[in-house]
Amino acid sequence: MTVAPLILVVGPSGAGKDSLMNGAKRRLTGDRRFHFARRTVTRPVLAGAEDHASLPRERFEQIEAAGGFLLSWRAHGLAYGVPTALDAVRRDGSAVVVNVSRAVVDEARARLRPVGVLVVTAPAPVLAARLAARGRERADDIDHRLKRAADPMPTGPDVRVVVNDASLKQGVDAFLAGLRDLAEAAVAV
């Protein structure tokens, strides 16, 4: 049985991953080739922030211990998970697109093939301005996120890069091109 790819969207905070994913999702409405996944996060749902399922940490850890996540990780004092139910979506033929930490890419490549990686990035001044504008982090948190942005991103033949430093339309166009290319490359393997 052929399994559709898991497409991991990674990149530094402020690169615009959620904006590009939301724009792509709107443009692909009704296209069953792609399914945009909701992560589970131990953060309350905030108006204007990413769409996610919110859980208290204790409940998150219970689900995690029971094998309820394909991938899970910790970052910025929060726990994040990708629900195992998404594997059925892949078996039904839809590529699952999900925003994850670059720290889980190698694990996903080893356990959840086929996998594609879509790196979304932007120049440091753009990242800094976007982080400040969203108003969720303190200045020291922004500094930490900007330092982390300089860490290496995944590389390899399963990676496509989108530099999101222009208009939202241009960013979504580039994101969709990378997404389609990764889905087609996974089918060819």
Side-chain angles (χ1 to χ4, degrees):
M1 175 202 295
T2 303
V3 175
L6 178 63
I7 299 177
L8 307 174
V9 179
V10 301
S13 296
K17 298 177 297 289
D18 290 327
S19 295
L20 296 184
M21 288 177 69
N22 289 336
K25 183 178 179 179
R26 279 191 297 277
R27 287 210 213 157
L28 294 172
T29 298
D31 186 339
R32 290 195 24 83
R33 293 176 300 165
F34 299 99
H35 175 86
F36 290 81
R38 287 178 73 211
R39 301 184 299 184
T40 300
V41 185
T42 58
R43 170 179 57 215
V45 175
L46 305 170
E50 74 164 303
D51 179 26
H52 68 278
S54 178
L55 283 178
R57 184 170 297 264
E58 181 179 305
R59 181 68 185 129
F60 181 97
E61 290 172 353
Q62 290 169 345
I63 293 169
E64 183 179 44
F69 296 117
L70 288 175
L71 296 166
S72 60
W73 65 97
R74 307 297 189 272
H76 312 295
L78 301 169
Y80 296 79
V82 177
T84 57
L86 294 168
D87 224 19
V89 174
R90 295 175 67 206
R91 286 191 305 276
D92 285 343
S94 295
V96 171
V97 183
V98 63
N99 179 355
V100 301
S101 167
R102 63 191 104 162
V104 299
V105 169
D106 289 339
E107 177 188 353
R109 283 171 166 161
R111 290 192 312 102
L112 302 168
R113 292 180 188 195
V115 170
V117 181
L118 194 51
V119 175
V120 177
T121 190
V126 173
L127 296 175
R130 288 178 181 161
L131 288 170
R134 70 186 189 184
R136 288 195 319 228
E137 296 91 3
R138 299 184 321 252
D140 59 329
D141 291 329
I142 290 173
D143 287 342
H144 174 74
R145 288 174 186 261
L146 291 173
K147 287 177 184 155
R148 175 128 167 76
D151 290 350
M153 289 291 164
T155 59
D158 62 347
V159 174
R160 303 299 180 271
V161 177
V162 172
V163 179
N164 185 26
D165 63 351
S167 72
L168 181 58
K169 181 190 180 312
Q170 290 169 307
V172 172
D173 288 345
F175 186 91
L176 285 168
L179 196 63
R180 288 178 176 126
D181 188 46
L182 285 169
E184 289 172 18
V187 169
V189 172

Short mmCIF file of all heavy atoms in Angstrom, two decimals, residues 13-14 28 33 35 51 69 73 78 80 86 100 108 113 126 129 141 158 161 167 169-170 181:
data_model
loop_
_atom_site.label_atom_id
_atom_site.label_comp_id
_atom_site.label_asym_id
_atom_site.label_seq_id
_atom_site.Cartn_x
_atom_site.Cartn_y
_atom_site.Cartn_z
N SER A 13 11.06 31.03 14.16
CA SER A 13 9.91 31.82 14.60
C SER A 13 9.91 33.15 13.85
O SER A 13 10.94 33.79 13.71
CB SER A 13 9.99 32.09 16.10
OG SER A 13 9.91 30.89 16.82
N GLY A 14 8.75 33.53 13.35
CA GLY A 14 8.63 34.79 12.63
C GLY A 14 8.81 34.66 11.13
O GLY A 14 8.66 35.64 10.40
N LEU A 28 -6.06 25.67 -1.61
CA LEU A 28 -6.22 24.25 -1.92
C LEU A 28 -7.53 23.66 -1.39
O LEU A 28 -7.68 22.44 -1.37
CB LEU A 28 -5.03 23.46 -1.35
CG LEU A 28 -3.68 23.75 -2.00
CD1 LEU A 28 -2.56 23.08 -1.23
CD2 LEU A 28 -3.67 23.32 -3.46
N ARG A 33 -5.50 16.08 -2.26
CA ARG A 33 -4.10 15.65 -2.24
C ARG A 33 -3.37 16.13 -0.99
O ARG A 33 -2.34 15.58 -0.64
CB ARG A 33 -3.36 16.17 -3.47
CG ARG A 33 -3.83 15.55 -4.77
CD ARG A 33 -3.12 16.17 -5.95
NE ARG A 33 -3.42 17.60 -5.97
CZ ARG A 33 -2.74 18.49 -6.68
NH1 ARG A 33 -1.73 18.12 -7.42
NH2 ARG A 33 -3.09 19.76 -6.65
N HIS A 35 -3.68 17.61 3.19
CA HIS A 35 -4.42 17.78 4.44
C HIS A 35 -3.53 18.60 5.38
O HIS A 35 -2.41 18.19 5.69
CB HIS A 35 -4.74 16.43 5.06
CG HIS A 35 -5.39 16.55 6.40
ND1 HIS A 35 -6.76 16.71 6.54
CD2 HIS A 35 -4.87 16.57 7.65
CE1 HIS A 35 -7.04 16.82 7.83
NE2 HIS A 35 -5.92 16.73 8.53
N ASP A 51 -3.98 27.96 14.68
CA ASP A 51 -5.09 27.07 15.02
C ASP A 51 -4.49 25.77 15.54
O ASP A 51 -3.78 25.07 14.81
CB ASP A 51 -5.93 26.81 13.76
CG ASP A 51 -7.08 25.87 14.02
OD1 ASP A 51 -7.56 25.80 15.17
OD2 ASP A 51 -7.52 25.22 13.06
N PHE A 69 0.76 10.25 19.71
CA PHE A 69 1.36 11.24 18.80
C PHE A 69 2.34 10.55 17.85
O PHE A 69 3.14 9.72 18.27
CB PHE A 69 2.09 12.34 19.57
CG PHE A 69 1.20 13.18 20.43
CD1 PHE A 69 1.37 13.20 21.81
CD2 PHE A 69 0.19 13.95 19.88
CE1 PHE A 69 0.55 13.98 22.61
CE2 PHE A 69 -0.64 14.74 20.67
CZ PHE A 69 -0.46 14.75 22.04
N TRP A 73 7.43 16.93 20.81
CA TRP A 73 8.66 17.62 21.18
C TRP A 73 8.34 18.73 22.17
O TRP A 73 7.17 19.05 22.41
CB TRP A 73 9.37 18.19 19.95
CG TRP A 73 8.61 19.25 19.23
CD1 TRP A 73 8.75 20.60 19.36
CD2 TRP A 73 7.57 19.07 18.26
NE1 TRP A 73 7.86 21.27 18.56
CE2 TRP A 73 7.13 20.35 17.86
CE3 TRP A 73 6.96 17.95 17.70
CZ2 TRP A 73 6.13 20.53 16.93
CZ3 TRP A 73 5.95 18.14 16.76
CH2 TRP A 73 5.55 19.41 16.38
N LEU A 78 6.80 24.77 26.07
CA LEU A 78 5.54 24.13 25.70
C LEU A 78 5.80 22.73 25.16
O LEU A 78 6.91 22.42 24.73
CB LEU A 78 4.81 24.96 24.63
CG LEU A 78 4.46 26.40 25.01
CD1 LEU A 78 4.00 27.17 23.78
CD2 LEU A 78 3.40 26.42 26.10
N TYR A 80 4.46 19.97 22.23
CA TYR A 80 3.78 19.94 20.94
C TYR A 80 3.64 18.50 20.49
O TYR A 80 4.53 17.68 20.71
CB TYR A 80 4.61 20.67 19.88
CG TYR A 80 4.82 22.13 20.12
CD1 TYR A 80 5.77 22.59 21.02
CD2 TYR A 80 4.07 23.08 19.42
CE1 TYR A 80 5.98 23.95 21.23
CE2 TYR A 80 4.27 24.44 19.62
CZ TYR A 80 5.22 24.86 20.52
OH TYR A 80 5.42 26.20 20.71
N LEU A 86 -3.48 11.14 12.13
CA LEU A 86 -3.09 11.66 10.82
C LEU A 86 -2.47 10.59 9.93
O LEU A 86 -2.41 10.75 8.72
CB LEU A 86 -2.15 12.85 10.99
CG LEU A 86 -2.83 14.06 11.63
CD1 LEU A 86 -1.80 15.10 12.04
CD2 LEU A 86 -3.87 14.66 10.69
N VAL A 100 6.31 21.70 12.34
CA VAL A 100 7.00 20.98 13.42
C VAL A 100 8.32 21.67 13.75
O VAL A 100 8.77 22.56 13.03
CB VAL A 100 7.27 19.50 13.05
CG1 VAL A 100 5.98 18.76 12.74
CG2 VAL A 100 8.26 19.36 11.91
N ALA A 108 11.36 11.71 12.13
CA ALA A 108 10.30 11.52 11.12
C ALA A 108 10.85 10.82 9.89
O ALA A 108 10.22 9.90 9.35
CB ALA A 108 9.68 12.86 10.75
N ARG A 113 8.34 7.47 6.77
CA ARG A 113 8.52 7.68 5.33
C ARG A 113 7.24 7.40 4.55
O ARG A 113 6.48 6.53 4.97
CB ARG A 113 9.62 6.76 4.81
CG ARG A 113 10.95 7.15 5.35
CD ARG A 113 12.00 6.23 4.83
NE ARG A 113 13.25 6.54 5.53
CZ ARG A 113 14.41 6.15 5.15
NH1 ARG A 113 14.54 5.42 4.08
NH2 ARG A 113 15.48 6.49 5.83
N VAL A 126 13.65 40.87 9.14
CA VAL A 126 12.23 40.56 8.91
C VAL A 126 11.71 39.70 10.06
O VAL A 126 10.62 39.95 10.58
CB VAL A 126 12.05 39.84 7.55
CG1 VAL A 126 10.62 39.37 7.37
CG2 VAL A 126 12.45 40.76 6.40
N ALA A 129 11.21 41.92 13.18
CA ALA A 129 10.03 42.80 13.07
C ALA A 129 8.74 42.00 13.25
O ALA A 129 7.82 42.45 13.94
CB ALA A 129 10.04 43.50 11.71
N ASP A 141 12.79 36.73 25.05
CA ASP A 141 12.32 35.57 24.28
C ASP A 141 12.57 35.79 22.79
O ASP A 141 12.97 34.86 22.07
CB ASP A 141 10.83 35.33 24.51
CG ASP A 141 10.52 34.85 25.92
OD1 ASP A 141 11.38 34.17 26.52
OD2 ASP A 141 9.42 35.18 26.42
N ASP A 158 15.20 15.73 0.10
CA ASP A 158 13.78 15.82 0.47
C ASP A 158 13.42 17.19 1.04
O ASP A 158 12.38 17.35 1.67
CB ASP A 158 13.42 14.73 1.48
CG ASP A 158 14.19 14.84 2.79
OD1 ASP A 158 15.18 15.60 2.87
OD2 ASP A 158 13.81 14.14 3.76
N VAL A 161 13.19 24.95 -0.01
CA VAL A 161 13.33 26.16 0.81
C VAL A 161 12.48 27.27 0.21
O VAL A 161 12.52 27.51 -1.00
CB VAL A 161 14.80 26.61 0.91
CG1 VAL A 161 14.93 27.91 1.69
CG2 VAL A 161 15.66 25.52 1.54
N SER A 167 5.68 39.75 -0.55
CA SER A 167 4.25 39.81 -0.23
C SER A 167 3.74 38.44 0.20
O SER A 167 4.35 37.41 -0.12
CB SER A 167 3.46 40.29 -1.44
OG SER A 167 3.42 39.27 -2.43
N LYS A 169 1.15 36.96 -0.99
CA LYS A 169 0.82 36.22 -2.22
C LYS A 169 2.06 35.54 -2.79
O LYS A 169 2.01 34.36 -3.15
CB LYS A 169 0.20 37.14 -3.27
CG LYS A 169 -0.17 36.38 -4.54
CD LYS A 169 -0.56 37.29 -5.68
CE LYS A 169 -0.92 36.55 -6.93
NZ LYS A 169 0.00 35.51 -7.36
N GLN A 170 3.17 36.26 -2.85
CA GLN A 170 4.40 35.66 -3.37
C GLN A 170 4.87 34.52 -2.47
O GLN A 170 5.33 33.48 -2.96
CB GLN A 170 5.49 36.72 -3.51
CG GLN A 170 5.22 37.71 -4.63
CD GLN A 170 6.17 38.89 -4.57
OE1 GLN A 170 6.31 39.54 -3.54
NE2 GLN A 170 6.83 39.16 -5.70
N ASP A 181 5.94 20.14 -5.30
CA ASP A 181 7.17 19.46 -5.72
C ASP A 181 7.50 18.31 -4.75
O ASP A 181 7.86 17.21 -5.18
CB ASP A 181 8.32 20.46 -5.80
CG ASP A 181 9.55 19.85 -6.41
OD1 ASP A 181 9.44 19.17 -7.45
OD2 ASP A 181 10.65 20.04 -5.84
#
